[in-house]
Amino acid sequence: QMQLVESGGGSVQPGGSLRLSCAASASIATIYIMGWYRQAPGKQRELVANIPRYGTTNYANSVKGRFTISRDNAKNTVYLQMNNLKPEDTAVYYCRGGRNYNDWGQGTQVTVSS
């Protein structure tokens, strides 16, 4: 089982930016896909973005053009750059990965409010 630790969450005003990091306990170089999900209060957990080992990244329509997912295999870390944040982006953000895409981090809170 791969341990995943998210960081970088916080409170920001609308229009602001945050960069989330997901540090893995083992090499992610051979992991087919890594992803970011989020869960807002009273809502189901949803995909934000994922990034395969090779190929095209995938984004939820609500974040396209504002968020960018990337992975640094040498550092065993996945990032989520979030720009032009909106109040509706407020949620706990989770990293997902592992050999069977079954491992989750503990989450990091992102709050967007004026």
Side-chain angles (χ1 to χ4, degrees):
Q1 184 177 3
M2 177 176 281
Q3 307 300 317
L4 301 170
V5 180
E6 302 96 336
S7 61
S11 295
V12 64
Q13 293 185 341
S17 298
L18 286 172
R19 188 176 83 153
L20 305 183
S21 298
C22 170
S25 60
S27 174
I28 66 169
T30 58
I31 300 300
Y32 174 66
I33 192 165
M34 300 290 294
W36 284 97
Y37 287 69
R38 67 185 181 187
Q39 187 167 18
K43 294 188 177 181
Q44 289 190 332
R45 193 172 297 189
E46 63 177 3
L47 172 70
V48 176
N50 57 36
I51 182 166
R53 183 181 174 189
Y54 302 110
T56 306
T57 54
N58 180 45
Y59 295 93
N61 286 334
S62 58
V63 307
K64 281 182 180 177
R66 300 188 297 122
F67 290 12
T68 303
I69 188 171
S70 61
R71 60 193 287 173
D72 186 334
N73 292 338
K75 295 184 178 180
N76 298 326
T77 301
V78 181
Y79 302 98
L80 185 68
Q81 177 66 45
M82 306 186 295
N83 298 328
N84 191 22
L85 282 159
K86 303 176 180 181
E88 51 263 43
D89 295 318
T90 295
V92 178
Y93 284 71
Y94 297 91
C95 180
R96 182 180 185 184
R99 192 156 301 280
N100 297 311
Y101 207 41
N102 285 337
D103 298 324
W104 294 84
Q106 83 290 345
T108 185
Q109 177 70 46
V110 172
T111 302
V112 185
S113 174
S114 55

Coordinates of all heavy atoms in Angstrom, one line a residue, residues 28-34 51-55 71 73:
I28 N 6.6 6.6 -7.8 CA 5.4 6.7 -8.6 C 5.7 6.6 -10.1 O 4.9 6.7 -11.0 CB 4.6 8.0 -8.4 CG1 5.5 9.2 -8.9 CG2 4.2 8.2 -6.9 CD1 4.6 10.5 -8.9
A29 N 7.0 6.4 -10.4 CA 7.4 6.3 -11.8 C 6.7 5.3 -12.6 O 6.5 5.5 -13.8 CB 8.9 6.1 -11.9
T30 N 6.4 4.2 -12.0 CA 5.7 3.1 -12.7 C 4.2 3.0 -12.4 O 3.5 2.1 -12.9 CB 6.3 1.7 -12.3 OG1 6.2 1.5 -10.9 CG2 7.8 1.7 -12.8
I31 N 3.7 4.0 -11.6 CA 2.3 4.0 -11.3 C 1.6 4.6 -12.5 O 1.9 5.7 -13.0 CB 2.0 4.9 -10.1 CG1 2.7 4.3 -8.9 CG2 0.5 5.0 -9.8 CD1 2.3 2.9 -8.5
Y32 N 0.6 3.8 -13.0 CA -0.1 4.2 -14.2 C -0.8 5.6 -14.1 O -0.6 6.4 -15.0 CB -1.1 3.2 -14.7 CG -1.9 3.6 -15.9 CD1 -1.3 3.8 -17.1 CD2 -3.3 3.9 -15.8 CE1 -2.0 4.2 -18.2 CE2 -4.0 4.3 -16.9 CZ -3.3 4.5 -18.1 OH -4.0 4.9 -19.2
I33 N -1.5 5.8 -13.0 CA -2.3 7.0 -13.0 C -2.3 7.6 -11.5 O -2.4 6.8 -10.6 CB -3.7 6.8 -13.5 CG1 -4.4 8.2 -13.7 CG2 -4.5 5.9 -12.6 CD1 -5.7 8.0 -14.6
M34 N -2.2 8.9 -11.4 CA -2.4 9.6 -10.1 C -3.4 10.6 -10.3 O -3.6 11.2 -11.4 CB -1.0 10.2 -9.7 CG 0.1 9.3 -9.5 SD 0.0 8.2 -8.1 CE 0.1 9.4 -6.8
I51 N -3.6 12.3 -14.0 CA -2.5 12.3 -14.9 C -1.9 10.9 -15.0 O -1.5 10.3 -14.1 CB -1.4 13.3 -14.4 CG1 -0.3 13.4 -15.4 CG2 -1.0 13.0 -13.0 CD1 0.6 14.6 -15.1
P52 N -2.0 10.4 -16.2 CA -1.4 9.1 -16.5 C 0.1 9.1 -16.6 O 0.7 10.2 -16.7 CB -2.1 8.7 -17.8 CG -2.3 9.9 -18.5 CD -2.5 11.0 -17.5
R53 N 0.7 7.9 -16.5 CA 2.1 7.9 -16.7 C 2.5 8.4 -18.1 O 3.5 9.1 -18.2 CB 2.6 6.4 -16.5 CG 4.1 6.2 -16.6 CD 4.4 4.7 -16.5 NE 5.8 4.4 -16.7 CZ 6.2 3.2 -16.8 NH1 5.4 2.1 -16.7 NH2 7.5 3.0 -17.0
Y54 N 1.7 8.0 -19.1 CA 1.9 8.5 -20.4 C 0.6 9.0 -20.9 O -0.5 8.5 -20.5 CB 2.4 7.5 -21.4 CG 3.7 6.8 -20.9 CD1 3.8 5.5 -20.5 CD2 4.9 7.6 -21.0 CE1 5.0 5.0 -20.1 CE2 6.1 7.0 -20.6 CZ 6.2 5.7 -20.1 OH 7.3 5.1 -19.7
G55 N 0.5 10.0 -21.7 CA -0.7 10.4 -22.3 C -1.3 11.7 -21.8 O -0.5 12.5 -21.2
R71 N 3.2 15.8 -12.4 CA 3.8 14.8 -11.6 C 5.3 14.9 -11.8 O 5.8 15.1 -12.9 CB 3.3 13.4 -11.9 CG 3.5 12.9 -13.3 CD 2.7 11.7 -13.6 NE 3.2 10.5 -12.9 CZ 2.6 9.3 -12.9 NH1 1.5 9.1 -13.5 NH2 3.2 8.3 -12.3
N73 N 8.2 12.5 -11.1 CA 8.5 11.1 -10.8 C 9.8 11.0 -9.9 O 9.9 10.1 -9.1 CB 8.6 10.2 -12.0 CG 7.2 10.0 -12.7 OD1 6.2 10.2 -12.1 ND2 7.2 9.7 -14.0

